[in-house]
Amino acid sequence: MSFVEYGDTIKDGDTAIVFLGHESMFPVKVQHGTVTQTKYGVIRHSTDLIGKKYGSKVTCSKGGWVFILHPTPELWTMNLPHRTQILYSTDISIITMMLELKPGSIVCESGTGSGSLSHALIRTVAPTGHLYTVEFHQQRAEKAREEFREHGVEHLVTVTNQDVCKNGFGVSNIADAVFLDIPSPWEAIGHAKSALKAEGGRICSFSPCIEQVQRTCLAMEEHGFTEINTLEILLRVYNVRTISLQIPDLGKAAEDNSSPGFDSSNPSNQGSPCANLQQGTVQFKSGVPLREMVGHTGYLTFATKS
């Protein structure tokens, strides 16, 4: 099993995604002799998982069933254990596009955090690229190394435990792109410039506060970066549901009532289609936004080394 290569069969030691529904799924490490509890009953790894194909429908001990999915960066972002706040697919998609990443690219990242963006970057630059990721917190760095090894991508990533603002990324003039997600990114702009290739490398900085963005942009200008621009990515989710609305009064009944020969006092005219139309309702499908949602994640600042 690898996050960058698809495997057909579930093996001992794999990371798999147990899918109960679109709003309910979780990762599990497949181990011989282990069981996993779900609301539909027990899943026995030895008999229910190992040797089965990914995507299989597995019946639990209570009679309910789940699907076992092959892990991808998208599914991992939705289900990973949170050691820090993470980036989600909306921001990740813009980052990979605006940094112009492709297979073979060399990327520097700080900090690693929970590894949400890291897995997406690794898949994008595979099979010949490489990710150099720096994490200040020692335990988070060690956990990231462990996850990359379990997920079969350790040959595509180098994890370093150090302060990027003081010690940089540990590489010079080789990176096609640099990503910063740290409290004071302006202090690391010089090291990012040193890590980037001689000309044309791209940089992105993620910050939740506009004051951080202002200081970062000033630092980028001081170090000669060009094409500096900041984006705010807003996600708005809609639910599709059936709603009922009254048919509007467009004045048609009034025109018909005033037409020659129409007698409103005549009982036969009281039940005319026009009269019923004004009091009716119609049902149709509509997209309705959620009452509460996350409206702001942060600001993405991009620039080019000149």
Side-chain angles (χ1 to χ4, degrees), residues 237-251:
V237 180
Y238 283 79
N239 280 337
V240 178
R241 62 179 64 174
T242 302
I243 64 174
S244 298
L245 291 178
Q246 285 188 334
I247 297 174
D249 182 0
L250 302 179

Side-chain angles (χ1 to χ4, degrees), residues 149-294:
R149 183 171 58 254
E150 292 178 351
H151 298 165
V153 296
E154 71 276 8
H155 61 292
L156 297 170
V157 57
T158 299
V159 182
T160 306
N161 174 221
Q162 63 187 31
D163 186 352
V164 69
C165 296
K166 296 180 179 179
N167 307 113
F169 293 93
V171 296
S172 299
N173 301 319
I174 66 169
D176 297 288
V178 170
F179 177 78
L180 298 174
D181 184 5
I182 54 178
S184 52
W186 54 89
E187 296 180 3
I189 297 300
H191 294 297
K193 182 178 180 180
S194 300
L196 287 168
K197 59 186 181 182
E199 185 177 358
R202 294 279 287 167
I203 184 174
C204 175
S205 174
F206 175 87
S207 296
C209 301
I210 194 64
E211 291 81 6
Q212 294 170 301
V213 174
Q214 292 171 332
R215 296 188 65 174
T216 302
C217 289
L218 290 174
M220 288 178 175
E221 287 183 339
E222 292 174 0
H223 285 87
F225 283 90
T226 60
E227 298 179 338
I228 302 172
N229 65 90
T230 299
L231 305 177
E232 182 182 19
I233 310 302
L234 300 177
L235 175 65
R236 193 174 190 191
V237 180
Y238 283 79
N239 280 337
V240 178
R241 62 179 64 174
T242 302
I243 64 174
S244 298
L245 291 178
Q246 285 188 334
I247 297 174
D249 182 0
L250 302 179
K252 181 174 176 57
E255 295 176 2
D256 292 342
N257 291 349
S258 61
S259 62
F262 183 88
D263 183 5
S264 59
S265 61
N266 188 340
S268 62
N269 289 331
Q270 298 299 320
S272 65
C274 293
N276 292 335
L277 186 64
Q278 299 305 311
Q279 299 174 359
T281 60
V282 62
Q283 291 186 338
F284 59 92
K285 297 289 185 181
S286 177
V288 181
L290 302 181
R291 293 182 180 272
E292 296 181 2
M293 69 182 74
V294 178

